[in-house]
Amino acid sequence: MAEQTVKITAKDGVHARPATVLVQEAGKYEADVTLDYNGKSVNLKSIMGIMSLGIPSGAEVTFKAEGSDEDAALKAIIDVVKNQELGE
């Protein structure tokens, strides 16, 4: 399993537009990808799951990937977070 924790720095937190981009990116991979926040874990391939977390600016979240392409999946997700200026 690969995992990485990031701090959300976007002033609006994780809202619908970046959540959609994350879901689309996660969907490109075979690995199971999850987003953990505040003791809850959701499938990163589920827009409703991500939105249910209500992730605000300043939150620390952990992305986890498990499967045959877990390293590539995690790297791509972290790249999306940085490119969408969601976090660091």
Side-chain angles (χ1 to χ4, degrees):
M1 178 184 295
E3 69 178 77
Q4 185 167 342
T5 300
V6 298
K7 182 175 182 179
I8 301 301
T9 57
K11 69 178 177 99
D12 294 330
V14 179
H15 56 87
R17 189 173 302 126
T20 300
V21 176
L22 287 168
V23 168
Q24 290 171 341
E25 191 62 35
K28 296 177 183 177
Y29 297 90
E30 299 268 330
D32 292 325
V33 187
T34 59
L35 171 58
D36 297 354
Y37 171 66
N38 206 19
K40 297 178 185 168
S41 181
V42 298
N43 183 340
L44 197 62
K45 297 177 183 179
S46 165
I47 187 75
M48 295 306 290
I50 297 169
M51 296 305 297
S52 73
L53 295 177
I55 302 169
S57 181
E60 287 203 358
V61 300
T62 302
F63 294 97
K64 296 179 182 177
E66 185 170 10
S68 60
D69 55 358
E70 63 189 35
D71 291 328
L74 185 62
K75 181 186 180 314
I77 295 302
I78 298 304
D79 286 346
V80 166
V81 169
K82 291 178 180 174
N83 291 338
Q84 293 288 314
E85 298 180 357
L86 283 176
E88 52 187 31

